[in-house]
Amino acid sequence: MALIVQKYGGTSVGSLERIANVAEKVIAARAAGHDLIVVVSAMTGETDRLLGLAKGIDPQPNPRELDVLLSTGEQATIALLSMALEKRGCPARSYTGAQVRILTDSAFNKARIVDIDAQRLRADLACGRVLVVAGFQGVDDAGNITTLGRGGSDTTAVALAAALKADECQIYTDVDGVYTTDPRVVPDARRLDRITYEEMLEMASLGAKVLQIRSVEFASKYNVPLRVLSSFAEGQGTLISSEEDVMEQALISGIAFNRDEAKLTVLGVPDQPGVAYRILGPIADANIEVDMIVQNVAEDSTTDFTFTVHRDDYDKALRILRETANELGAREVTGDNKIVKISLVGVGMRSHAGIASTMFQTLAAEGINIRMISTSEIKISVVVDEKYLELGVRALHAAFHLDSKK
Ligand code: ADP
Ligand code: ASP
Ligand code: MG
């Protein structure tokens, strides 16, 4: 008998019919002899609705109270699913994050799981119940309700699977696996049977929102076999596991993109030690995360410095940069918040030259100007104008033979 943690996302529990469908799936898995912990998200659109209400009161709502509000979405779903299971004769019990005691730090709206007290869950499992746990939420050691950031139910599921040493963590969603790129943008995208933790981590951190990054970090750290599957169709989905388990490695496993980017440039700064620190220090102090950074080779004794931030932080970053530029005697500050990042990901890149040149050639052939480039061992990212996102992703998908009709 295996212990399986299943997670159902917002669309999968988006109506009473769909909750009934989930109940049937859970009962079928139980009938196959498995112990089950089921993590659920808020019904589709609910977290956004609650966020809208909060912002109607204050554009920057009190973070503690925001978490109290947002956590109610998942609380509604656990009760509804447990009722649906009980009505079908399947013993079930719902738990909020705080009731399980999913202990987190106190970073409201983006808390990290620190510890899980699995005792109560184990006792309930031993009584033959299905446990239905609210995703996306926890409690800090002062007893405050916290949430784990958008998409956080994935992380709840994987963390529970790790804590209870589950045999598999299954993420049920509205696509039937992890694809070579977002199938909504490239209809010819191909489902991957397997992908390594490392590649999935890159895909997620570069914008593929099918799994929250932290869930993949957890899975990799505790070696939890993770599978992404459809709630609506049968199939094997995509297994995410360690490199040794993935026998045949593709050169490129996928293309990720991120629409939430903005870039800022300061031109003509004196090229001296400490300049990068003077520019980025105040940005970091304002809690703004910086992604790509490029500094030009100095001509005369000045240099240009460009970096990217999340689009939501653009205005704030621009204000800070203008002040710093004044202090440094820089020539000019420019910015652009209509840019996107497209990334190629693949462990096969380690051993193959020429991937970057194929990428640049493909974009050039489409007349797409590359604004920034950054590389690491298993990825290459480029920043391009927002209007080229779809064109760029589709062209690269075809150029690297990722299309399903090949
Ligand atoms: P859930 O509500 O179930 O958590 P999400 O919307 O968070 O679902 O994640 C599923 C979505 O992720 C898909 O509908 C798809 O549009 C998107 N997505 C982005 N990149 C990929 C990819 N490489 N493979 C599969 N889905 C992807
Ligand atoms: N309900 C939360 C969100 O919409 C968490 C999740 O669905 O994973 O982001
Ligand atoms: Mg999600």
Side-chain angles (χ1 to χ4, degrees):
M1 183 155 78
L3 170 61
I4 295 178
V5 176
Q6 298 188 334
K7 176 255 172 179
Y8 292 91
T11 318
S12 310
V13 293
S15 65
L16 294 186
E17 291 73 39
R18 289 188 170 177
I19 289 176
N21 171 55
V22 168
E24 299 293 348
K25 287 180 78 81
V26 170
I27 288 168
R30 193 164 167 270
H34 303 311
D35 276 343
L36 281 166
I37 298 180
V38 184
V39 173
V40 285
S41 290
M43 294 169 79
T44 183
E46 180 62 8
T47 307
D48 285 332
R49 188 186 73 85
L50 294 167
L51 203 53
L53 288 177
K55 291 197 167 165
I57 289 185
D58 181 347
Q60 293 203 303
N62 178 286
R64 180 188 184 279
E65 302 315 323
L66 185 60
D67 279 355
V68 173
L69 181 69
L70 295 187
S71 66
T72 63
E74 272 71 12
Q75 186 167 341
T77 321
I78 53 170
L80 292 170
L81 178 59
S82 301
M83 289 173 195
L85 287 166
E86 286 280 343
K87 181 171 174 249
R88 287 168 175 75
C90 171
R93 192 169 273 185
S94 66
Y95 288 107
T96 65
Q99 285 175 319
V100 171
R101 208 141 193 280
I102 295 179
L103 185 70
T104 71
D105 60 18
S106 303
F108 295 117
N109 316 154
K110 48 171 191 280
R112 280 180 181 270
I113 297 177
V114 181
D115 188 35
I116 293 183
D117 179 1
Q119 236 175 342
R120 191 177 206 172
L121 298 185
R122 281 209 183 88
D124 259 4
L125 281 174
C127 295
R129 291 193 186 103
V130 169
L131 308 182
V132 183
V133 178
F136 175 59
Q137 54 180 265
V139 63
D140 71 4
D141 59 9
N144 298 299
I145 293 174
T146 55
T147 66
L148 309 179
R150 298 308 301 265
S153 298
D154 298 332
T155 303
T156 304
V158 177
L160 281 170
L164 283 127
K165 302 200 170 40
D167 296 282
E168 188 165 289
C169 181
Q170 303 174 341
I171 306 287
Y172 285 91
T173 182
D174 55 4
V175 278
D176 63 352
V178 177
Y179 277 69
T180 46
T181 192
D182 191 338
R184 288 179 210 272
V185 169
V186 182
D188 277 344
R190 188 163 43 82
R191 185 180 58 78
L192 301 165
D193 283 331
R194 285 167 166 250
I195 184 171
T196 66
Y197 292 127
E198 201 183 3
E199 288 168 309
M200 193 62 234
L201 204 56
E202 287 283 5
M203 290 280 281
S205 62
L206 294 167
K209 291 186 174 126
V210 59
L211 287 172
Q212 198 196 33
I213 305 168
R214 281 185 195 165
S215 71
V216 189
E217 284 170 2
F218 250 103
S220 160
K221 187 167 169 194
Y222 297 101
N223 228 340
V224 178
L226 186 60
R227 196 182 284 279
V228 174
L229 306 132
S230 165
S231 296
F232 308 109
E234 293 298 313
Q236 290 302 300
T238 300
L239 180 68
I240 300 138
S241 61
S242 61
E243 206 163 318
E244 305 86 72
D245 300 338
V246 180
M247 302 291 281
E248 205 181 308
Q249 301 222 323
L251 199 54
I252 302 294
S253 45
I255 301 175
F257 51 83
N258 189 347
R259 302 176 202 264
D260 303 326
E261 302 262 332
K263 80 179 168 65
L264 300 99
T265 302
V266 50
L267 296 154
V269 276
D271 189 25
Q272 300 159 352
V275 157
Y277 172 65
R278 295 271 309 269
I279 293 170
L280 295 178
I283 300 283
D285 292 343
N287 252 328
I288 298 174
E289 245 177 76
V290 171
D291 179 15
M292 287 182 173
I293 302 172
V294 174
Q295 186 185 334
N296 287 352
V297 176
E299 271 179 50
D300 47 55
S301 49
T302 68
T303 185
D304 304 336
F305 196 95
T306 303
F307 58 94
T308 62
V309 298
H310 193 284
R311 222 176 260 192
D312 291 349
D313 292 326
Y314 176 67
D315 292 333
K316 194 165 152 198
L318 202 56
R319 268 198 309 277
I320 296 170
L321 188 60
R322 289 216 168 97
E323 274 173 37
T324 315
N326 254 338
E327 289 163 19
L328 289 172
R331 195 170 72 240
E332 197 186 342
V333 169
T334 61
D336 187 350
N337 63 356
K338 298 259 179 311
I339 54 150
V340 292
K341 181 168 74 176
I342 303 178
S343 309
L344 283 183
V345 176
V347 287
M349 256 184 232
R350 284 198 192 114
S351 48
H352 280 79
I355 306 259
S357 70
T358 306
M359 181 181 200
F360 304 153
Q361 185 187 23
T362 305
L363 295 172
E366 299 292 342
I368 301 174
N369 196 14
I370 300 172
R371 309 225 166 250
M372 292 172 86
I373 301 171
S374 97
T375 63
S376 77
E377 214 186 4
I378 67 161
K379 72 121 205 281
I380 307 173
S381 300
V382 295
V383 166
V384 301
D385 291 348
E386 184 179 72
K387 62 181 181 216
Y388 294 128
L389 174 71
E390 278 83 5
L391 179 63
V393 172
R394 284 179 197 149
L396 291 170
H397 200 266
F400 286 96
H401 310 293
L402 296 171
D403 288 356
S404 54
K405 295 185 198 106
K406 284 274 152 72

